[in-house]
């Protein structure tokens, strides 16, 4: 099924969960611009999620969703809130949402988990999810091991529900590549950080624009919480301590609140500036609508070029 039909959107594009960044206002802006906006509940408490849902509903008549980050201590309560609030689409990240799927499906919610590997995709499809997001390690934030290039076709072969590609997609070429790999659409994060509507601190946006291809790294591999961020003082110190065998408590000194420091205070030295490997191809701040339109027309141009040139 085409992703637009499944989601009720104009474009086959969904926004990533982006904890602490994707507020109700931002999700509404994404939905109003033609993609599927999501409230990123990752850094929220349950009450905050209710409030952001209320704000989002007041700002858009278009469908929007909620992303539940399963490591959030309030995840159980949030799983009930999305049912109470009749949210049409729920995506999940950073864990296995299997225990919530029956109740969400019974409530008529479209359930679309992020999967980092085929095994979880198969298990969740058997549990009844509507689609899966195959997210490669090119992504910003919490990442798996597989690359988008290797993961998407293997998930597409393994399941009979629509697959959405994520990780490493920031223009029309990337979107067309995702289609070529068997996806029906793409989830976007990094390229939306550089939108006019994105509520992150301007220093964070400037750091994305300045980044080159190799300017991200992954912290927390040893602690079991791999998170891709832009290289900065915080990342360097973290990786040094990690290599030296620092324990979890010591490492948490660096990470505690570090995403909030980046997003709200614009602290680009000690904050976690979560970003994907495509940060190096994001060069200007634009309105969301322009980002989506250019991505769609870029994909069509890419297909025309491939048809002309042959393979
Ligand atoms: O969730 C994300 N990206 C995120 S969450 C986040 S908030 C955060 N902040 C600090 C530390 C950690 C997280 C920032 N970025 N992407 C989706 C994603 N899900 N990537 C990988 C996974 C994943 C990993 C393991 C999904 C399922 C999974 O399953 C393990 C299992 O239990 O089978």
């Amino acid at each position: 099924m085409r992703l637009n039909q499944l989601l009720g959107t104009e474009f086959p594009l969904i926004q990533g969960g982006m904890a602490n960044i994707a507020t109700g206002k931002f999700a509404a802006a994404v939905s109003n611009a033609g993609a599927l906006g999501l409230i990123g509940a990752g850094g929220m408490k349950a009450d905050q999620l209710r409030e952001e849902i209320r704000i989002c509903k007041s700002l858009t008549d278009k469908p929007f969703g909620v992303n539940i980050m399963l490591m959030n201590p309030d995840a159980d309560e949030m799983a009930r809130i999305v049912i109470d609030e009749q949210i049409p689409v729920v995506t999940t990240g950073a864990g296995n949402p299997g225990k919530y799927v029956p109740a969400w499906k019974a409530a008529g919610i479209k359930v679309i988990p992020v999967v980092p590997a085929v095994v979880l995709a198969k298990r969740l499809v058997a549990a009844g999810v509507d689609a899966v997001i195959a997210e490669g390690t090119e992504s910003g934030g919490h990442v798996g091991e597989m690359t988008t290039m290797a993961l998407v076709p293997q998930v597409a072969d393994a399941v009979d529900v629509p697959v959405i590609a994520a990780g490493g997609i920031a223009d029309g070429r990337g979107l067309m590549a995702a289609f070529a790999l068997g996806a029906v659409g793409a989830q976007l994060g990094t390229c939306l950080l550089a939108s006019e509507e994105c509520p992150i601190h301007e220093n964070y946006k400037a750091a994305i624009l300045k980044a080159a291809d190799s300017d991200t790294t992954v912290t927390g591999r040893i602690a079991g919480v791999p998170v891709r961020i832009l290289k900065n003082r915080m990342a360097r110190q973290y990786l040094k301590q990690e290599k030296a065998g620092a324990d979890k408590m010591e490492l948490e000194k660096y990470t505690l609140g570090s995403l909030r420091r980046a997003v709200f205070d614009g602290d680009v030295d000690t904050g976690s500036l979560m970003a994907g490997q495509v940060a190096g191809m994001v060069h200007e701040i634009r309105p969301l609508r322009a980002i989506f339109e250019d991505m769609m027309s870029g994909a069509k141009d890419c297909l025309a070029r491939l048809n002309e040139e042959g393979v």
Side-chain angles (χ1 to χ4, degrees):
M1 190 199 280
R2 290 183 82 108
L3 191 57
N4 297 342
Q5 282 168 303
L6 182 70
L7 302 176
T9 52
E10 182 180 349
F11 305 126
L13 302 172
I14 75 175
Q15 167 229 311
M18 299 199 292
N20 287 315
I21 296 173
T23 57
K25 187 175 176 194
F26 183 65
V30 170
S31 288
N32 287 334
L36 185 79
L38 295 172
I39 298 170
M44 295 179 191
K45 297 259 178 283
D47 282 348
Q48 244 176 310
L49 174 60
R50 278 189 206 281
E51 175 64 11
E52 295 298 327
I53 290 171
R54 196 189 58 73
I55 292 169
C56 194
K57 283 180 176 169
S58 76
L59 294 173
T60 187
D61 295 326
K62 301 254 162 55
F64 70 90
V66 170
N67 170 266
I68 299 186
M69 206 276 280
L70 295 164
M71 283 161 58
N72 187 315
D74 282 2
D76 282 350
E77 199 178 341
M78 290 173 165
R80 289 191 292 273
I81 291 173
V82 294
I83 294 171
D84 290 349
E85 297 287 338
Q86 298 180 294
I87 300 298
V89 183
V90 169
T91 71
T92 63
N96 180 344
K99 67 174 176 175
Y100 304 123
V101 173
W104 285 343
K105 288 313 304 164
I109 294 174
K110 297 203 171 71
V111 182
I112 314 182
V114 167
V115 294
V118 165
V119 58
L120 187 59
K122 279 183 162 169
R123 208 175 291 154
L124 290 170
V125 169
V129 303
D130 298 273
V132 292
I133 300 164
E135 187 180 293
T137 194
E138 297 93 321
S139 301
H142 189 76
V143 289
E145 293 283 337
M146 299 280 298
T147 60
T148 302
M149 185 82 144
L151 179 64
V152 173
Q154 294 189 69
V155 172
D157 283 348
V159 301
D160 55 5
V161 299
V163 176
I164 297 156
I169 301 164
D171 69 8
R173 293 170 300 178
L175 177 59
M176 190 46 64
F179 290 139
L181 295 173
V184 296
Q187 174 187 276
L188 310 173
T190 304
C191 65
L192 305 185
L193 295 176
S195 64
E196 285 176 1
E197 294 90 338
C198 186
I200 58 175
H201 195 283
E202 63 183 271
N203 295 353
Y204 193 161
K205 288 190 190 179
I208 298 286
L209 299 187
K210 210 176 87 187
D213 56 347
S214 305
D215 283 347
T216 70
T217 188
V218 176
T219 59
R221 281 206 197 276
I222 293 170
V225 197
V227 174
R228 185 176 300 284
I229 59 176
L230 290 182
K231 289 175 185 167
N232 63 0
R233 183 146 60 94
M234 180 273 182
R236 274 191 297 276
Q237 283 181 349
Y238 186 105
L239 291 173
K240 202 165 134 202
Q241 298 284 333
E242 201 176 26
K243 259 192 211 134
D247 63 26
K248 248 181 159 166
M249 290 283 279
E250 220 168 310
L251 291 171
E252 271 178 8
K253 265 198 330 218
Y254 293 104
T255 51
L256 225 56
S258 61
L259 175 60
R260 300 181 69 86
R261 274 205 301 284
V263 172
F264 301 116
D265 307 338
D267 182 344
V268 292
D269 292 324
T270 77
S272 273
L273 297 127
M274 294 191 188
Q277 292 181 331
V278 287
M281 56 194 279
V282 176
H283 303 304
E284 52 178 340
I285 310 287
R286 290 182 302 161
L288 286 166
R289 179 84 194 171
I291 295 173
F292 299 142
E293 281 178 345
D294 281 5
M295 186 168 287
M296 296 311 299
S297 67
K300 285 183 188 118
D301 292 349
C302 177
L303 184 60
R305 178 170 58 80
L306 294 173
N307 273 324
E308 263 167 41
E309 291 173 6
V311 284

